[in-house]
Amino acid sequence: MSGALGLIDPLLRLALLGGLGVLAFLAVRRYPNAGFSLWVAIVCLVPYWFGIRLGIDWSISALFTVLLVTALLPLRRPRLSLADAVVGVIVACYFAASLLGEASLTSGVVLLGHWGLGYLLGRVVASRIAVPRIYLVMALAFTGVSLLALLEFATATNPFVGFSAPGALYDTWGTLQERGGVLRVEGAFGHSIALGTSLALAVPLVLAAPLRPWIRAVMLVLVLTATVLTLSRTAMACAAIALVLTLVFARDVVSRRFAAIVAVAGAVVAAALAPFVDRVFELAGSEAEGSADYRSDLIALVSEMQVLGQSPAFHRSPDGTAWFGEFTSIDSALILLGLRYGLLPLGLATALIVAGIVLVASGRATPATIAVVAQVPAFATTALITQYAILTWFMVGLAVATQLAARPHARAPNTHAPLHLPSPSESVPPRSHRPIPAVDAKKGTSR
């Protein structure tokens, strides 16, 4: 009897969770715009260390992504591209390596539970929600994140780390960093690099948002300023590249006059913050130099990769710490991808990046594609950590979806016409659009 009673609470919790899941599914299916907005809010405001254990530990953002993808999946046959095939082959490589005993469960959770989910959401969301609205939601959300970052810097207080959760995730991501004696802002992202690179992802979307030019310019200044306050060289480089690529190659998004205004605004931000940044890095001297030297040392691990599956350089110490060779933290998404999944998946992922670069250089890239291409410095020098991982792969999926819609044979309405925001009762049909022109690591990273 006591054993049966002991099952009541878990069963009730499971039934309650299932009931809430069904209600949430129906609500998101009925109101996709609200569902997507809620997902963006969760990514931006819910720390990574909060989660629910359902067989494995799920972050709140990943769990809600499952719900959103399921609810938004189109009922008809979707349009597929070569990029979808490439991502599918990467996933197939993992399963093949698993059958050969050359892959770990942790790698599968990362690939399928974060990267794959983010990619699927990016692919399906544009089938239910107008792309300009997606850009608008992302732009507004990361402008809000920027304002919170400015407040965090001004008060030297991060309110999110005060919401602790027991476990290793909070121990890793729930601490604050300094550089040169200055607090590095990180918001709810658990790391200054994760915040900074996520803000950099938003730069092309801010410029493409269906808002008045002066509003976009103000939002951009806030995003760029917040990025600088993360004191991450990688994030600052990605934001600068995203800005330049959008101004130069996305002429359907940025007029000549607006490009000049934005260029001046970017120069003002750079000039105003340059003395502060120089002073911080001068004080941080040896720490910043050591960070750069460490990343160059990681290149030696390339020779330890095998064609398929996890590198033989992987091992665990008696205390359970994971190592690749002499390193416990691999601050390079590309190198870590090769170490975990093999040279073949690394080559396929690199091919996707090269394809994106070609689209940008030819002037055919959408803002989402430009955002991904501008992240190349981050892919080389930092891992896909916390919410930045799922956000990056969401942007990859959105890039593929918008490029498909931008093909010459597709009907292309004027995406800069006043945006019609449908009421919740309206169904948003799939639309074609002209161009509106990848891992966990320890918190020790300091790029």
Side-chain angles (χ1 to χ4, degrees), residues 47-81:
Y48 186 70
W49 52 82
F50 285 109
I52 298 175
R53 185 166 186 82
L54 296 172
I56 60 174
D57 291 324
W58 292 82
S59 66
I60 300 298
S61 57
L63 199 60
F64 195 76
T65 305
V66 174
L67 174 68
L68 198 56
V69 167
T70 306
L72 296 181
L73 276 174
L75 298 179
R76 67 191 184 287
R77 181 182 177 183
R79 291 179 62 193
L80 299 178
S81 71

Short mmCIF file of all heavy atoms in Angstrom, two decimals, residues 47-81:
data_model
loop_
_atom_site.label_atom_id
_atom_site.label_comp_id
_atom_site.label_asym_id
_atom_site.label_seq_id
_atom_site.Cartn_x
_atom_site.Cartn_y
_atom_site.Cartn_z
N PRO A 47 17.33 31.74 -17.42
CA PRO A 47 18.71 31.22 -17.37
C PRO A 47 18.78 29.75 -17.75
O PRO A 47 17.85 28.97 -17.49
CB PRO A 47 19.13 31.45 -15.92
CG PRO A 47 18.28 32.59 -15.45
CD PRO A 47 16.96 32.39 -16.14
N TYR A 48 19.91 29.37 -18.31
CA TYR A 48 20.12 28.02 -18.84
C TYR A 48 20.06 26.97 -17.74
O TYR A 48 19.75 25.80 -18.01
CB TYR A 48 21.48 27.99 -19.53
CG TYR A 48 21.80 26.70 -20.25
CD1 TYR A 48 21.12 26.33 -21.40
CD2 TYR A 48 22.80 25.86 -19.78
CE1 TYR A 48 21.43 25.17 -22.07
CE2 TYR A 48 23.12 24.69 -20.45
CZ TYR A 48 22.43 24.34 -21.59
OH TYR A 48 22.74 23.19 -22.25
N TRP A 49 20.38 27.34 -16.51
CA TRP A 49 20.45 26.33 -15.44
C TRP A 49 19.08 25.91 -14.92
O TRP A 49 18.99 25.01 -14.11
CB TRP A 49 21.31 26.84 -14.29
CG TRP A 49 20.93 28.19 -13.74
CD1 TRP A 49 19.94 28.47 -12.84
CD2 TRP A 49 21.55 29.44 -14.06
NE1 TRP A 49 19.89 29.81 -12.58
CE2 TRP A 49 20.88 30.44 -13.30
CE3 TRP A 49 22.60 29.82 -14.90
CZ2 TRP A 49 21.24 31.78 -13.38
CZ3 TRP A 49 22.95 31.15 -14.95
CH2 TRP A 49 22.28 32.12 -14.20
N PHE A 50 18.01 26.54 -15.37
CA PHE A 50 16.68 26.08 -15.00
C PHE A 50 16.22 25.03 -16.02
O PHE A 50 16.29 25.25 -17.22
CB PHE A 50 15.68 27.23 -14.99
CG PHE A 50 15.82 28.12 -13.79
CD1 PHE A 50 16.33 29.40 -13.92
CD2 PHE A 50 15.47 27.67 -12.53
CE1 PHE A 50 16.47 30.23 -12.82
CE2 PHE A 50 15.62 28.49 -11.42
CZ PHE A 50 16.12 29.77 -11.57
N GLY A 51 15.74 23.91 -15.54
CA GLY A 51 15.31 22.86 -16.45
C GLY A 51 14.40 21.86 -15.77
O GLY A 51 14.08 21.98 -14.59
N ILE A 52 14.00 20.86 -16.53
CA ILE A 52 13.12 19.80 -16.05
C ILE A 52 13.72 18.47 -16.48
O ILE A 52 14.20 18.34 -17.62
CB ILE A 52 11.70 19.94 -16.63
CG1 ILE A 52 11.07 21.26 -16.18
CG2 ILE A 52 10.81 18.77 -16.20
CD1 ILE A 52 9.71 21.53 -16.81
N ARG A 53 13.71 17.50 -15.59
CA ARG A 53 14.26 16.19 -15.94
C ARG A 53 13.14 15.29 -16.45
O ARG A 53 12.23 14.92 -15.71
CB ARG A 53 14.96 15.55 -14.75
CG ARG A 53 15.64 14.23 -15.11
CD ARG A 53 16.61 13.75 -14.05
NE ARG A 53 17.34 12.57 -14.50
CZ ARG A 53 18.40 12.59 -15.27
NH1 ARG A 53 18.88 13.76 -15.68
NH2 ARG A 53 19.00 11.49 -15.64
N LEU A 54 13.19 14.95 -17.74
CA LEU A 54 12.27 14.00 -18.35
C LEU A 54 13.11 12.96 -19.09
O LEU A 54 13.34 13.05 -20.30
CB LEU A 54 11.33 14.71 -19.33
CG LEU A 54 10.36 15.74 -18.74
CD1 LEU A 54 9.64 16.49 -19.85
CD2 LEU A 54 9.37 15.08 -17.81
N GLY A 55 13.61 11.99 -18.34
CA GLY A 55 14.55 11.04 -18.91
C GLY A 55 15.95 11.62 -18.91
O GLY A 55 16.89 11.04 -18.39
N ILE A 56 16.10 12.81 -19.54
CA ILE A 56 17.34 13.58 -19.49
C ILE A 56 16.99 14.98 -19.01
O ILE A 56 15.82 15.35 -18.91
CB ILE A 56 18.01 13.66 -20.88
CG1 ILE A 56 17.07 14.33 -21.89
CG2 ILE A 56 18.44 12.28 -21.36
CD1 ILE A 56 17.70 14.58 -23.24
N ASP A 57 18.00 15.76 -18.69
CA ASP A 57 17.76 17.13 -18.26
C ASP A 57 17.47 18.02 -19.47
O ASP A 57 18.28 18.09 -20.41
CB ASP A 57 18.97 17.67 -17.49
CG ASP A 57 19.14 16.99 -16.14
OD1 ASP A 57 18.11 16.68 -15.51
OD2 ASP A 57 20.30 16.76 -15.73
N TRP A 58 16.33 18.68 -19.45
CA TRP A 58 15.94 19.60 -20.53
C TRP A 58 15.97 21.03 -20.00
O TRP A 58 15.42 21.32 -18.95
CB TRP A 58 14.52 19.31 -21.00
CG TRP A 58 14.35 18.00 -21.71
CD1 TRP A 58 14.18 16.77 -21.15
CD2 TRP A 58 14.31 17.79 -23.13
NE1 TRP A 58 14.04 15.81 -22.11
CE2 TRP A 58 14.12 16.41 -23.34
CE3 TRP A 58 14.42 18.64 -24.22
CZ2 TRP A 58 14.03 15.87 -24.61
CZ3 TRP A 58 14.33 18.10 -25.49
CH2 TRP A 58 14.14 16.74 -25.67
N SER A 59 16.61 21.93 -20.75
CA SER A 59 16.48 23.34 -20.43
C SER A 59 15.07 23.78 -20.80
O SER A 59 14.41 23.15 -21.64
CB SER A 59 17.51 24.17 -21.20
OG SER A 59 17.24 24.12 -22.60
N ILE A 60 14.61 24.86 -20.17
CA ILE A 60 13.26 25.35 -20.46
C ILE A 60 13.15 25.76 -21.93
O ILE A 60 12.14 25.49 -22.60
CB ILE A 60 12.92 26.55 -19.55
CG1 ILE A 60 12.97 26.13 -18.08
CG2 ILE A 60 11.53 27.09 -19.89
CD1 ILE A 60 11.99 25.05 -17.71
N SER A 61 14.19 26.37 -22.47
CA SER A 61 14.15 26.79 -23.88
C SER A 61 14.05 25.60 -24.81
O SER A 61 13.28 25.62 -25.78
CB SER A 61 15.39 27.63 -24.22
OG SER A 61 16.58 26.93 -23.95
N ALA A 62 14.81 24.52 -24.53
CA ALA A 62 14.75 23.33 -25.39
C ALA A 62 13.40 22.65 -25.28
O ALA A 62 12.82 22.20 -26.28
CB ALA A 62 15.86 22.36 -25.01
N LEU A 63 12.86 22.56 -24.06
CA LEU A 63 11.57 21.91 -23.87
C LEU A 63 10.46 22.65 -24.59
O LEU A 63 9.61 22.05 -25.25
CB LEU A 63 11.27 21.82 -22.37
CG LEU A 63 10.22 20.81 -21.93
CD1 LEU A 63 10.62 19.40 -22.32
CD2 LEU A 63 10.00 20.90 -20.42
N PHE A 64 10.49 23.99 -24.53
CA PHE A 64 9.46 24.76 -25.22
C PHE A 64 9.66 24.70 -26.73
O PHE A 64 8.69 24.81 -27.50
CB PHE A 64 9.46 26.21 -24.74
CG PHE A 64 8.22 26.97 -25.13
CD1 PHE A 64 7.03 26.76 -24.45
CD2 PHE A 64 8.22 27.86 -26.19
CE1 PHE A 64 5.87 27.44 -24.82
CE2 PHE A 64 7.08 28.54 -26.57
CZ PHE A 64 5.90 28.33 -25.88
N THR A 65 10.91 24.51 -27.17
CA THR A 65 11.15 24.36 -28.60
C THR A 65 10.48 23.10 -29.14
O THR A 65 9.93 23.10 -30.25
CB THR A 65 12.67 24.30 -28.89
OG1 THR A 65 13.30 25.45 -28.34
CG2 THR A 65 12.94 24.26 -30.39
N VAL A 66 10.53 22.01 -28.36
CA VAL A 66 9.84 20.78 -28.77
C VAL A 66 8.35 21.07 -28.99
O VAL A 66 7.76 20.68 -30.00
CB VAL A 66 10.01 19.68 -27.70
CG1 VAL A 66 9.18 18.46 -28.06
CG2 VAL A 66 11.47 19.30 -27.57
N LEU A 67 7.75 21.75 -28.03
CA LEU A 67 6.33 22.09 -28.13
C LEU A 67 6.05 22.96 -29.35
O LEU A 67 5.12 22.71 -30.12
CB LEU A 67 5.88 22.80 -26.85
CG LEU A 67 4.46 23.35 -26.84
CD1 LEU A 67 3.45 22.21 -26.84
CD2 LEU A 67 4.24 24.24 -25.61
N LEU A 68 6.88 23.97 -29.55
CA LEU A 68 6.65 24.92 -30.63
C LEU A 68 6.83 24.25 -32.00
O LEU A 68 6.02 24.47 -32.91
CB LEU A 68 7.61 26.10 -30.48
CG LEU A 68 7.28 27.38 -31.23
CD1 LEU A 68 5.88 27.88 -30.88
CD2 LEU A 68 8.32 28.46 -30.94
N VAL A 69 7.88 23.45 -32.14
CA VAL A 69 8.10 22.75 -33.41
C VAL A 69 6.93 21.83 -33.73
O VAL A 69 6.42 21.80 -34.86
CB VAL A 69 9.42 21.95 -33.37
CG1 VAL A 69 9.50 20.98 -34.54
CG2 VAL A 69 10.61 22.89 -33.39
N THR A 70 6.48 21.08 -32.74
CA THR A 70 5.37 20.16 -32.93
C THR A 70 4.10 20.90 -33.34
O THR A 70 3.37 20.47 -34.24
CB THR A 70 5.11 19.35 -31.65
OG1 THR A 70 6.32 18.71 -31.24
CG2 THR A 70 4.05 18.29 -31.89
N ALA A 71 3.86 22.04 -32.69
CA ALA A 71 2.63 22.79 -32.98
C ALA A 71 2.69 23.50 -34.33
O ALA A 71 1.65 23.68 -34.98
CB ALA A 71 2.39 23.80 -31.86
N LEU A 72 3.88 23.90 -34.77
CA LEU A 72 4.00 24.67 -35.99
C LEU A 72 4.25 23.84 -37.23
O LEU A 72 4.23 24.36 -38.35
CB LEU A 72 5.12 25.71 -35.86
CG LEU A 72 4.93 26.80 -34.80
CD1 LEU A 72 6.12 27.75 -34.81
CD2 LEU A 72 3.64 27.56 -35.00
N LEU A 73 4.54 22.55 -37.04
CA LEU A 73 4.84 21.71 -38.19
C LEU A 73 3.72 21.81 -39.23
O LEU A 73 2.54 21.64 -38.91
CB LEU A 73 5.01 20.26 -37.78
CG LEU A 73 6.40 19.85 -37.25
CD1 LEU A 73 6.37 18.42 -36.75
CD2 LEU A 73 7.45 20.00 -38.36
N PRO A 74 4.06 22.07 -40.50
CA PRO A 74 3.03 22.15 -41.54
C PRO A 74 2.44 20.78 -41.83
O PRO A 74 3.12 19.76 -41.73
CB PRO A 74 3.81 22.69 -42.76
CG PRO A 74 5.23 22.29 -42.51
CD PRO A 74 5.41 22.32 -41.02
N LEU A 75 1.17 20.76 -42.17
CA LEU A 75 0.49 19.50 -42.45
C LEU A 75 0.78 19.01 -43.86
O LEU A 75 0.66 17.82 -44.15
CB LEU A 75 -1.02 19.68 -42.26
CG LEU A 75 -1.45 20.07 -40.83
CD1 LEU A 75 -2.97 20.26 -40.79
CD2 LEU A 75 -1.01 19.04 -39.83
N ARG A 76 1.15 19.91 -44.74
CA ARG A 76 1.46 19.51 -46.11
C ARG A 76 2.96 19.17 -46.21
O ARG A 76 3.72 19.41 -45.29
CB ARG A 76 1.13 20.64 -47.08
CG ARG A 76 2.02 21.82 -46.90
CD ARG A 76 1.54 23.03 -47.66
NE ARG A 76 2.49 24.12 -47.52
CZ ARG A 76 2.65 24.82 -46.42
NH1 ARG A 76 1.92 24.53 -45.36
NH2 ARG A 76 3.54 25.80 -46.36
N ARG A 77 3.36 18.68 -47.37
CA ARG A 77 4.77 18.35 -47.59
C ARG A 77 5.60 19.63 -47.65
O ARG A 77 5.33 20.51 -48.46
CB ARG A 77 4.92 17.57 -48.90
CG ARG A 77 6.35 17.16 -49.19
CD ARG A 77 6.43 16.42 -50.51
NE ARG A 77 7.81 16.10 -50.85
CZ ARG A 77 8.18 15.50 -51.97
NH1 ARG A 77 7.25 15.17 -52.87
NH2 ARG A 77 9.45 15.25 -52.21
N PRO A 78 6.64 19.75 -46.82
CA PRO A 78 7.44 20.98 -46.83
C PRO A 78 8.41 21.01 -48.01
O PRO A 78 8.76 19.97 -48.57
CB PRO A 78 8.21 20.89 -45.50
CG PRO A 78 8.34 19.41 -45.26
CD PRO A 78 7.07 18.80 -45.80
N ARG A 79 8.82 22.22 -48.39
CA ARG A 79 9.87 22.37 -49.39
C ARG A 79 11.21 22.09 -48.73
O ARG A 79 11.52 22.64 -47.68
CB ARG A 79 9.87 23.79 -49.96
CG ARG A 79 8.67 24.12 -50.82
CD ARG A 79 8.77 25.56 -51.30
NE ARG A 79 9.96 25.76 -52.14
CZ ARG A 79 10.43 26.95 -52.48
NH1 ARG A 79 9.83 28.05 -52.04
NH2 ARG A 79 11.49 27.05 -53.25
N LEU A 80 12.01 21.24 -49.35
CA LEU A 80 13.30 20.88 -48.79
C LEU A 80 14.41 21.43 -49.68
O LEU A 80 14.22 21.72 -50.86
CB LEU A 80 13.42 19.36 -48.66
CG LEU A 80 12.40 18.69 -47.74
CD1 LEU A 80 12.59 17.18 -47.73
CD2 LEU A 80 12.50 19.25 -46.33
N SER A 81 15.59 21.55 -49.11
CA SER A 81 16.72 22.08 -49.84
C SER A 81 17.93 21.19 -49.62
O SER A 81 17.91 20.27 -48.80
CB SER A 81 17.05 23.51 -49.37
OG SER A 81 17.59 23.47 -48.05
#
